Amino acid sequence: MKQSPALMLNILALYVIAGVLIAAFAMQFWLSELPCPLCLLQRAFICALAAGPILNLRYGPRPSHYALSILALVVMSRRAQVPAALMIPYRRGER
């Protein structure tokens, strides 16, 4: 049975997302460091990003599933900008 390229790309996307999350957890445990709030937020949105490929694998490729992944990316990028901007130290006299 021949599989469609869309199916293979969704499987690949899930492997990449799982790899990113596994690497983040492995570094956390091996280095014995607690993740910062921004890292936790990014991990939650990376899990939300996986919803699109999961729905594509379950119900077949649809534009609405891809839109769900794009929405997760847009929200993640907007939410990550605010805490990242607050982490930058500000010194007087610098702009």
Side-chain angles (χ1 to χ4, degrees):
M1 181 165 130
K2 185 165 178 148
Q3 296 180 351
S4 70
L7 180 66
M8 295 305 293
L9 287 175
N10 284 309
I11 292 171
L12 178 66
L14 285 176
Y15 277 126
V16 169
I17 290 169
V20 168
L21 290 174
I22 288 170
F25 284 123
M27 287 177 53
Q28 175 185 340
F29 289 123
W30 284 336
L31 299 177
S32 300
E33 293 184 2
L34 293 176
C36 66
L38 178 61
C39 297
L40 292 173
L41 186 65
Q42 287 175 344
R43 288 179 191 177
F45 280 113
I46 288 173
C47 290
L49 176 67
I54 290 171
L55 289 172
N56 279 335
L57 292 174
R58 176 67 177 102
Y59 299 109
R62 293 189 183 146
S64 59
H65 301 158
Y66 291 112
L68 184 64
S69 292
I70 292 170
L71 178 66
L73 281 173
V74 169
V75 172
M76 179 173 56
S77 67
R78 297 297 297 165
R79 294 289 179 201
Q81 287 175 354
V82 175
L86 294 176
M87 289 182 189
I88 298 172
Y90 175 77
R91 294 185 211 161
R92 289 188 176 191
E94 290 184 8
R95 291 187 183 222

